[in-house]
């Protein structure tokens, strides 16, 4: 068994364990230097946290372990193609590669359907299902001005 297959199998094991307990059927591991540095499994219903997807949990654990919000030189192995939220978190964390097993269509077939979110992201703000209303922009821009002029900021 190759290392990549071994890492994927661990993600799949986590998804199976989660499906048998209180979580959804999703698992993920993050690998750095050919070693698993963090694991995650779906904890949405167990923690009443809609953001507690396997990939997000693994990212949080990896960042805590590495004491860094960048996960460069790390790879993600996940039991299913990441949803839009997880994909965004993957980009924000700067992971190098994504390896996945099940597809979004496989997930859709068991009622984990992210089609609405994928379609909403493409729409103009005024055409989205959830109404978005901009307000107090002038006041809010103050924080952006402070950030823009801050000399000791940490860019991310």
């Amino acid at each position: 068994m190759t290392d990549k297959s071994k890492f994927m199998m661990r993600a799949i094991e986590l998804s199976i364990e989660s499906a048998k307990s209180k979580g959804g059927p999703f698992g993920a591991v993050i690998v750095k230097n050919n070693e698993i540095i963090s694991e995650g499994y779906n904890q949405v219903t167990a923690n009443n946290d809609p953001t507690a997807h396997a990939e997000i949990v693994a990212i949080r654990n990896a960042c805590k372990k590495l004491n860094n919000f960048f996960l460069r030189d790390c790879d993600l192995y996940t039991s299913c193609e990441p949803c839009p939220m997880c994909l965004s978190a993957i980009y924000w964390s700067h992971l190098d590669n994504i390896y996945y097993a099940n597809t979004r269509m496989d997930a859709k077939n068991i009622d984990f359907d992210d089609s609405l979110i994928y379609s909403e992201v493409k729409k103009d703000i005024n055409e989205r299902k959830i109404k978005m209303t901009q307000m107090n922009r002038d006041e809010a821009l103050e924080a952006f001005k402070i950030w823009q002029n801050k000399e000791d900021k940490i860019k991310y």
Side-chain angles (χ1 to χ4, degrees):
M1 180 182 298
T2 67
D3 285 340
K4 287 182 180 175
S5 182
K6 177 179 74 171
F7 300 141
M8 180 58 74
M9 287 307 298
R10 179 59 187 149
I12 292 168
E13 286 172 14
L14 289 166
S15 73
I16 292 168
E17 290 171 19
S18 183
K20 288 179 177 178
S21 64
K22 283 185 135 183
F26 305 98
V29 299
I30 294 179
V31 174
K32 183 173 183 154
N33 298 326
N34 218 29
E35 178 185 327
I36 294 175
I37 61 164
S38 75
E39 298 182 342
Y41 55 89
N42 185 283
Q43 298 176 33
V44 171
T45 57
N47 294 349
N48 292 318
D49 180 354
T51 69
H53 290 199
E55 297 91 338
I56 301 289
V57 172
I59 288 169
R60 289 173 181 160
N61 291 338
C63 289
K64 187 173 184 177
K65 181 173 184 173
L66 297 176
N67 196 32
N68 197 330
F69 54 86
F70 282 129
L71 296 177
R72 288 189 181 100
D73 302 320
C74 295
D75 296 326
L76 172 75
Y77 292 79
T78 179
S79 64
C80 189
E81 180 180 354
C83 75
M85 176 184 68
C86 293
L87 187 60
S88 296
I90 290 162
Y91 276 95
W92 277 111
S93 64
H94 299 273
L95 283 157
D96 288 356
N97 296 289
I98 303 167
Y99 300 95
Y100 66 96
N102 293 318
T103 67
R104 71 172 88 162
M105 290 306 297
D106 295 328
K108 181 178 180 177
N109 289 337
I110 60 164
D111 294 325
F112 288 94
D113 186 2
D114 297 319
S115 302
L116 173 69
I117 300 168
Y118 281 109
S119 68
E120 287 289 299
V121 169
K122 297 177 188 176
K123 292 180 182 177
D124 180 86
I125 284 176
N126 297 317
E127 296 175 5
R128 292 183 179 157
K129 183 177 178 177
I130 298 175
K131 184 177 178 179
M132 296 179 66
T133 305
Q134 184 181 24
M135 53 190 290
N136 295 84
R137 180 173 181 255
D138 290 339
E139 294 85 353
L141 282 172
E142 181 62 26
F144 282 14
K145 290 175 188 171
I146 292 167
W147 178 259
Q148 186 175 19
N149 295 322
K150 188 174 181 164
E151 292 187 21
D152 63 342
K153 65 185 162 204
I154 300 172
K155 292 186 178 185
Y156 56 95

